[in-house]
Amino acid sequence: MTAELVRGQNHPLSKSRVEIRVSAGTPVLALVSTGDDEGRLAGPAALAHPGARALPGLEVPDTVAGGHRFAVDLDAVDEAVHRLRVVLVLPPGGPARFGAVPASYVAVAEPQGAELAGYTLTGLESETAVVALELYRRQGAWKVRAVGQGYAGGLSALLVDAGLPAPAAAELAAAATGLVATGDITLAAMPTGPAPTVPRGLRAPLDAPPATGAPAPQAPEPPDPIPVSDVPLAGAGSAGDTAGGPPTISYAHPRRRRTSTEAPEPAPRAAEPDEPGRPPRPVAGDASGWSMDERLYNQVWGMFEDMARTVAAYRSAVDFADSRMDRELDEALSDPRHRLGGSGDGARATARARREELVAQARAVLDRDLAQLVAESEVVEPALPAAYARWDNPVWHAPGTPQENPLALRLGDLSLPERPELRIPMLMRVPLERGLWIDNGRTGSEAAMAMDTDRLRRAAMDMAVAHAVRLLAVHPGDKYSVHVIDAAGAGAASLAPLVRSGVLAGPPASGAAGVTQTLAQLTRRVDLVQMALRAGAPEDLPPDVDTAEQLLIVHDFPHGFDDRSVTQLRYLADEGPAVGVHLLMVADRDEASAYGPLLDPLWRSLMRLSPIPDNHLADPWVHHAWTFTPDLPPQGSRVLDQALNRISEVRRSARP
């Protein structure tokens, strides 16, 4: 069975001879770079490209094509090589960016056999070169990791980031892509700012070393983020730190379009410290932005980055202390004079004491940074607007309705085991760029397997309803419509608040006929809006087309779906977000296994969320496994009913 990877997820490889398969939405070059344990290239010869195809254990294709296959013998790879990276590059004269073509799919398979692991490269925009997959050694075994790191500066920027000097990187990139045949290289196209850009998702720069002096990885500046699936290192407290403090965090939105000539509102200044040497007291909105909502969004993102950095620094320091202790113990035991008597025991005790000292120092820095983040969280959480706030926040009881669309939406909380009670809001930008999938299956995680099936399914549907109510409540009254497909009626108890309030676009669709009618209606809307946009006349839509954003909740899939309905659902998942039709699936993937690989693109296109706390969100930059905790109303609370009543009143008052 193929392991469908998400960005940052890894998977063990049971075979030493594998085949790399590339299925791209446009002709691309497929290259392979070989690096050390930090991914750095030893020189220009470490890149396999059409002009120098062969490296020990592999040979890349020599053509530009939409599909590639080439074999890799991991046993034949040089011992000094710890990472093999599969790189896709748009050729000269082709599309200008990966964001303009369908998503590529890269897989590792048995030679002429079944796929072992696959990854769909979603979320790319201006990038022209991307590291798709990485095969790497870990404790003598090989694994594959989904990377998805793109570079707007092209292959030359990718090579610079991998350690090559800029002139050598430009020359090698030109030779690999066939730009020049001789040594006359122009560097005019080299980027002047931070070269790499990473697909939207959870990430941030790894730009500060651990406190103990252990080496830390480097990574580029972050783009405008949208969490998840999809992070950082060292020093914390986005409200600032004291002398010799952590690196400055940039909260700028590189792809943000300026919509006004007015200057942004100044962020509130942090209070002065009570005593010299202490960090300033945190202040809500202490980040750049054009509105308080944007400043709070950026501040939450900064808190996420800071937490990832400081935990990564601590873990790196512990790894460094462990490796140092192992090395010192090996040196002590290698001397025959220390194997007998008390000198050997003394050497071992000294090595362990040094290790504990380093870990204690790292833990002190971690505790200091996390304490600052806890203080910031205690200030920021009460100040969040409804779109970002927990359901127990008093903002949900405030009167009034929103006059404009929100910037982002809270899906839940993220935490790490070093301080599980410190939860950072997981915010996703809206309009939603991809659908959501709430996994109500018991095979998705150990936590789900330990839960009763009926309770798990009810929790998943309750979570979907909470997301739908939040979307309705944070948009202006007539700007969001919600449709429901519940073919078997199994979600009636959870859907009761939505049905009672009358905020749904229509009664929940049941049975095969209801499924067909709802999908046909939304598919027609997608087709008409697409045609109107292509014709440059979006205002000329038929009067019966609802121009509001549409959310389709699908429960108990694939019950009630035939082959045509499944095809329409896939169409909505792929084409809907761009024209305002969004998908929220509540489903168990195993129940749709009869469709085989036909539905793999559907599952890959959705962001998977768990209805119970689970560490299923992988971080590709510092390799954290973030624990996702869904945000649900408190037990016995009527906050959903109150929010729905306000929505109903606003809609009734707006009717003629």
Side-chain angles (χ1 to χ4, degrees):
M1 181 177 178
T2 305
E4 299 293 338
L5 305 181
V6 297
R7 187 176 298 122
Q9 185 178 0
N10 59 47
H11 185 74
L13 293 177
S14 57
K15 308 290 184 181
S16 60
R17 293 178 180 269
V18 296
E19 185 177 67
I20 305 298
R21 298 174 183 174
V22 177
S23 178
T26 186
V28 296
L29 280 167
L31 317 178
V32 173
S33 68
T34 61
D36 57 17
D37 55 357
E38 294 184 358
R40 304 186 72 81
L41 275 62
L47 179 71
H49 59 86
R53 298 173 54 200
L55 288 174
L58 63 95
E59 185 173 353
V60 299
D62 60 353
T63 59
V64 175
H68 295 285
R69 288 192 177 199
F70 58 93
V72 176
D73 185 354
L74 297 174
D75 289 339
V77 174
D78 285 343
E79 293 184 0
V81 173
H82 289 262
R83 297 176 187 264
L84 301 175
R85 288 176 171 171
V86 179
V87 177
L88 305 184
V89 181
L90 292 175
R97 56 191 179 91
F98 273 107
V101 298
S104 301
Y105 178 69
V106 184
V108 180
E110 298 178 2
Q112 307 302 320
E115 292 183 359
L116 303 174
Y119 171 50
T120 302
L121 283 78
T122 58
L124 298 178
E125 291 193 355
S126 60
E127 298 85 349
T128 58
V130 60
V131 179
L133 291 179
E134 178 181 70
L135 310 182
Y136 65 99
R137 299 183 199 258
R138 180 61 56 85
Q139 297 178 347
W142 285 91
K143 294 185 177 183
V144 57
R145 178 185 292 121
V147 180
Q149 177 177 339
Y151 294 80
L155 181 58
S156 60
L158 184 153
L159 296 173
V160 168
D161 193 47
L164 290 186
E171 183 173 358
L172 180 57
T177 57
L179 293 179
V180 294
T182 61
D184 288 331
I185 305 297
T186 175
L187 300 183
M190 288 297 292
T192 57
T197 61
V198 175
R200 290 170 177 249
L202 297 182
R203 49 91 64 229
L206 307 179
D207 52 4
T212 60
Q218 299 291 320
E221 289 293 326
D224 183 10
I226 291 186
V228 246
S229 232
D230 221 86
V231 202
L233 202 70
S238 56
D241 217 332
T242 53
T248 302
I249 301 171
S250 172
Y251 296 96
H253 292 257
R255 289 189 292 272
R256 184 179 183 278
R257 296 292 182 265
R258 185 167 177 170
T259 57
S260 171
T261 58
E262 300 177 2
E265 301 175 31
R269 298 185 62 182
E272 295 297 325
D274 295 330
E275 298 179 14
R278 289 193 177 182
R281 292 189 297 273
V283 174
D286 189 15
S288 63
W290 292 66
S291 66
M292 177 57 80
D293 285 4
E294 186 174 358
R295 293 202 299 269
L296 287 168
Y297 172 83
N298 287 334
Q299 187 171 14
V300 168
W301 175 242
M303 292 165 61
F304 170 82
E305 289 183 326
D306 289 345
M307 186 173 181
R309 281 192 187 92
T310 194
V311 170
Y314 170 72
R315 293 180 181 179
S316 178
V318 172
D319 290 343
F320 175 77
D322 289 340
S323 63
R324 176 174 169 175
M325 181 184 70
D326 292 341
R327 186 176 66 252
E328 291 177 349
L329 290 175
D330 289 341
E331 292 174 354
L333 294 176
S334 65
D335 190 342
R337 294 172 298 176
H338 293 166
R339 295 177 184 174
L340 300 175
S343 60
D345 294 337
R348 287 190 287 270
T350 300
R352 294 191 180 98
R354 288 175 180 169
R355 187 260 180 197
E356 295 303 323
E357 181 182 3
L358 289 175
V359 172
Q361 292 175 0
R363 186 72 206 194
V365 174
L366 174 69
D367 291 341
R368 180 203 68 191
D369 292 344
L370 292 182
Q372 177 69 9
L373 280 173
V374 169
E376 188 171 13
S377 178
E378 291 172 350
V379 171
V380 170
E381 276 287 356
L384 295 177
Y388 308 170
R390 293 193 180 110
W391 284 108
D392 58 1
N393 192 309
V395 72
W396 284 105
H397 303 284
T401 56
Q403 301 301 312
E404 57 184 20
N405 293 340
L407 180 71
L409 191 77
R410 187 174 191 149
L411 298 180
D413 296 331
L414 298 172
S415 60
L416 292 171
E418 281 76 6
R419 186 67 67 91
E421 68 275 13
L422 174 57
R423 295 181 178 180
I424 307 298
M426 178 179 173
L427 304 180
M428 172 177 264
R429 295 291 292 267
V430 292
L432 301 175
E433 294 188 345
R434 60 190 298 197
L436 302 176
W437 164 31
I438 301 177
D439 188 355
N440 64 2
R442 299 185 67 238
T443 59
S445 68
E446 294 182 3
M449 293 181 67
M451 191 172 184
D452 176 74
T453 300
D454 293 337
R455 288 180 55 209
L456 182 65
R457 291 176 178 270
R458 176 62 186 267
M461 197 57 191
D462 288 346
M463 179 179 169
V465 170
H467 284 326
V469 174
R470 184 185 292 268
L471 280 166
L472 288 167
V474 300
H475 283 82
D478 58 346
K479 298 299 184 183
Y480 225 94
S481 295
V482 177
H483 308 257
V484 176
I485 290 178
D486 186 22
S494 298
L495 291 169
L498 290 173
V499 175
R500 269 197 316 267
S501 63
V503 298
L504 294 177
S510 60
V515 172
T516 301
Q517 181 180 356
T518 302
L519 291 177
Q521 175 186 348
L522 292 175
T523 301
R524 174 178 177 267
R525 183 193 181 278
V526 170
D527 290 339
L528 291 174
V529 174
Q530 283 184 337
M531 287 188 291
L533 291 174
R534 292 192 189 107
E539 69 281 356
D540 292 339
L541 288 168
D544 63 329
V545 174
D546 186 0
T547 57
E549 295 281 313
Q550 310 287 312
L551 176 70
L552 173 61
I553 302 176
V554 179
H555 180 237
D556 222 10
F557 176 80
H559 186 85
F561 282 72
D562 56 20
D563 291 345
R564 178 178 173 80
S565 299
V566 169
T567 302
Q568 289 177 318
L569 187 68
R570 286 185 53 187
Y571 176 73
L572 292 178
D574 293 338
E575 303 295 334
V579 291
V581 177
H582 311 284
L583 188 60
L584 175 53
M585 295 271 291
V586 183
D588 179 359
R589 184 172 181 173
D590 289 345
E591 292 185 353
S593 59
Y595 287 94
L598 176 67
L599 290 181
D600 288 350
L602 172 64
W603 304 117
R604 290 197 296 263
S605 69
L606 304 175
M607 175 181 287
R608 176 180 173 266
L609 299 174
S610 171
I612 55 177
D614 186 34
N615 61 342
H616 67 281
L617 293 177
D619 184 336
W621 287 89
V622 288
H623 314 309
H624 295 333
W626 290 86
T627 297
F628 171 80
T629 303
D631 181 45
L632 298 172
Q635 191 72 23
S637 171
R638 298 192 67 251
V639 63
L640 291 187
D641 290 328
Q642 293 172 359
L644 289 169
N645 289 338
R646 284 197 297 271
I647 298 167
S648 299
E649 292 173 5
V650 170
R651 293 188 173 184
R652 281 195 299 268
S653 63
R655 291 171 187 160

